Amino acid sequence: MNDQADQQKHTEFPPTGTLAAPAQGRLLLTNVRPYGEGEPVNVLIEEGSIAAIGADAAAGSGVESDTEGVEVIDGKGAVLLPGLVDMHVHLREPGREDTETIATGSAAAAKGGFTAVFTMANTQPVMDQPVIAESVWFKGQQVGLCDVHPVGSITKGLQGEQLTEFGMMARSEAKVRMFSDDGKCVDNPLLMRRAVEYAKGLDVLLAQHCEDPRLTEGAVAHEGETAAKLGLRGWPRVAEESVVARDAILARDYGNRVHICHASTEGTVELLKWAKSQNIPITAEVTPHHLLLTDERLETYDGVNRVNPPLREERDTVALREALLEGIIDVIATDHAPHGSEDKCCEFEHAKPGMLGLETSLPIVAKIFVESGLADWRFVAKVMSERPAEILKLPGHGRPIAVGEPANLVLVETDSPWTAHGEQMASKAQNTPYEGMEFSTKVATTILRGHVTCRDGVPSAPRNA
Ligand code: DOR
Ligand code: ZN
């Protein structure tokens, strides 16, 4: 292969030869409202793409004229959004298949309305080599319920000592575009500087778990009144903010993009505001749990509420919500972190940090922003689909709902009450902090390249597994 052809092969993403094929048949969605706007329309999907969009009664739109051999899904007035994209999940395969697998995680993703997820590198073995990333990518395609993109680790074995071969992983069949030691912080400033420089040449995204480990030794809860009252070792805001500030300056001085994982404090918002005002190439995500929950929940000492970074205070949730509305924080990412009951139903200090997120994120976002009137469905499409796809330069996802675009879509029912129960989740784990919580927005149907991956709230069976 000559250099040019080689270059072309390596920049094609995802590699077309390995992508699970689009659906062959035709699918008609009737009575749906794109972005929750206007009168219901019908949407015809052919060979994995949107072929026509027509008003319900519009004769000659081509949508109703020939429905023979077409599978019809009655949307009953549901909101139609682009399929959701989650930049931050932990699907635990390889290594902890007892808590989640690519198959169960993909089912949870489909049930949550996601058509693409990025699964973090803290697997066993760590995702620090092309062969591991490729096996995850291919397995995801084989399951066929969601595009599962592996995230490569920044350092070998997550040891924070030596950088991994970003180039080899980026050029592998998995086409890794994001690198992170998530779960751990790349706290060595020289190593992070080198990572930023290396990533720049390859145009890959570095996602930082901001936590200065010297400030969080033994910490299990946000450092504040609640932790003091409960006798829990506190994790101060400065542990996060000092790394956000440092990495913003590294991004400025060495010129590559840095993404801040799970922003959790008011101060982080202030720093992001400053960095963006300086045109520093920085982006950030916030989790549904940091938008909704506070450290007051720790009063029961239930391990299900332990998470890194920890649940903070009311003023942090307020600042995070405003930052998302203003675009200071770019996206919502779940940090879906399944754990077995032996690691959660134990003393708070011994519980592993992490919460399930995939199956509850859209209802939570709808509750906070749409049902309250703070924002509309366009905003949800932006922060949960379009912006993450844009930040990751991911073609085919987060696209407009328009003729000719790939049919990666989600149908969302409003005024459809349901109660969250861990044991009813598609995820293999049950560690949801929302047990018993009532929501009124529900994911009905998810579509990946024309394939129905979730129907009436039930994820489809894996396609080829
Ligand atoms: O709570 C968390 N759990 N935060 C992380 O950064 C990692 C994650 C995990 O892997 O369980
Ligand atoms: Zn993290």
Side-chain angles (χ1 to χ4, degrees):
M1 200 184 296
N2 64 31
D3 269 4
Q4 205 182 350
D6 188 51
Q7 185 65 28
Q8 204 165 14
K9 174 173 177 261
H10 295 324
T11 49
E12 187 189 330
F13 179 79
T16 36
T18 66
L19 196 65
Q24 289 307 302
R26 300 202 296 162
L27 180 65
L28 179 65
L29 309 177
T30 63
N31 203 8
V32 298
R33 295 171 57 237
Y35 308 100
E37 293 167 358
E39 292 303 309
V41 296
N42 295 348
V43 174
L44 180 67
I45 295 164
E46 274 176 0
E47 291 180 13
S49 297
I50 299 176
I53 302 178
D56 207 16
S61 66
V63 178
E64 295 83 13
S65 54
D66 172 19
T67 50
E68 209 172 301
V70 181
E71 184 188 349
V72 179
I73 293 181
D74 181 1
K76 301 186 198 115
V79 175
L80 184 67
L81 298 179
L84 309 180
V85 178
D86 194 341
M87 292 180 69
H88 189 152
V89 303
H90 298 266
L91 300 191
R92 305 292 189 221
E93 188 174 345
R96 286 306 303 264
E97 290 85 350
D98 57 316
T99 59
E100 195 78 288
T101 64
I102 290 165
T104 59
S106 295
K111 199 171 163 197
F114 292 89
T115 50
V117 298
F118 284 73
T119 186
M120 283 295 175
N122 63 341
T123 47
Q124 297 167 9
V126 172
M127 222 123 53
D128 59 5
Q129 290 174 46
V131 64
I132 306 171
E134 284 175 343
S135 77
V136 167
W137 166 253
F138 285 124
K139 190 123 189 208
Q141 291 301 295
Q142 197 180 24
V143 170
L145 296 181
C146 182
D147 287 343
V148 178
H149 294 277
V151 176
S153 68
I154 295 176
T155 70
K156 289 185 185 163
L158 299 178
Q159 293 301 306
E161 282 161 14
Q162 269 179 294
L163 296 183
T164 57
E165 300 269 9
F166 297 175
M168 302 245 291
M169 284 192 271
R171 290 191 192 101
S172 74
E173 291 291 297
K175 293 282 175 285
V176 178
R177 349 216 85 200
M178 176 173 171
F179 292 84
S180 179
D181 272 9
D182 181 65
K184 284 187 169 180
C185 180
V186 182
D187 64 318
N188 176 336
L190 178 60
L191 202 65
M192 191 60 186
R193 172 198 162 159
R194 296 281 181 238
V196 171
E197 290 175 306
Y198 186 8
K200 183 179 180 178
L202 295 161
D203 195 25
V204 291
L205 185 71
L206 293 182
Q208 177 72 288
H209 170 114
C210 299
E211 174 186 354
D212 185 325
R214 282 149 300 223
L215 288 165
T216 60
E217 239 182 275
V220 296
H222 165 66
E223 185 181 275
E225 235 175 80
T226 305
K229 195 166 78 183
L230 301 177
L232 298 171
R233 181 90 63 99
W235 166 315
R237 293 187 176 88
V238 61
E240 173 170 315
E241 293 161 13
S242 56
V243 179
V244 174
R246 185 203 72 182
D247 284 4
I249 293 166
L250 286 175
R252 181 192 67 189
D253 290 355
Y254 301 104
N256 194 49
R257 306 180 280 148
V258 171
H259 177 79
I260 303 300
C261 292
H262 36 57
S264 76
T265 75
E266 195 183 30
T268 290
V269 168
E270 286 307 310
L271 290 163
L272 289 168
K273 206 177 282 181
W274 168 79
K276 290 199 168 184
S277 77
Q278 304 297 304
N279 292 322
I280 293 172
I282 198 164
T283 54
E285 67 189 35
V286 61
T287 67
H289 49 269
H290 288 112
L291 289 170
L292 186 69
L293 309 176
T294 66
D295 64 348
E296 285 174 19
R297 289 185 57 112
L298 270 47
E299 284 174 5
T300 59
Y301 288 99
D302 187 340
V304 80
N305 295 312
R306 183 160 175 210
V307 67
N308 285 356
L311 299 178
R312 305 277 184 190
E313 295 175 45
E314 179 83 20
R315 66 183 164 105
D316 299 291
T317 61
V318 170
L320 293 166
R321 289 176 188 195
E322 278 170 8
L324 192 68
L325 285 167
E326 288 168 12
I328 300 296
I329 290 179
D330 301 80
V331 306
I332 290 171
T334 65
D335 196 3
H336 177 82
H339 288 295
S341 57
E342 71 284 7
D343 287 321
K344 277 305 205 180
C345 306
C346 57
E347 285 172 312
F348 191 83
E349 285 93 334
H350 293 138
K352 283 200 174 159
M355 299 172 164
L356 296 187
L358 282 167
E359 295 169 66
T360 44
S361 56
L362 186 70
I364 292 171
V365 173
K367 185 189 181 99
I368 299 173
F369 295 103
V370 185
E371 291 159 26
S372 65
L374 280 176
D376 55 15
W377 289 106
R378 286 259 173 200
F379 169 78
V380 177
K382 185 176 84 179
V383 298
M384 295 188 77
S385 176
E386 294 162 5
R387 266 307 269 154
E390 194 180 0
I391 290 168
L392 290 154
K393 305 192 178 183
L394 189 65
H397 292 273
R399 299 291 306 158
I401 301 173
V403 171
E405 293 290 351
N408 295 322
L409 299 164
V410 57
L411 261 179
V412 183
E413 286 176 0
T414 54
D415 297 319
S416 189
W418 67 285
T419 307
H421 291 297
E423 61 179 32
Q424 288 170 9
M425 301 227 162
S427 173
K428 211 169 196 182
Q430 299 191 8
N431 55 308
T432 173
Y434 311 108
E435 182 66 39
M437 206 179 268
E438 287 176 18
F439 297 104
S440 42
T441 297
K442 192 175 178 181
V443 171
T445 304
T446 310
I447 296 164
L448 174 64
R449 288 185 287 281
H451 293 282
V452 177
T453 55
C454 176
R455 188 190 298 267
D456 290 330
V458 180
S460 309
R463 263 191 283 148
N464 306 304

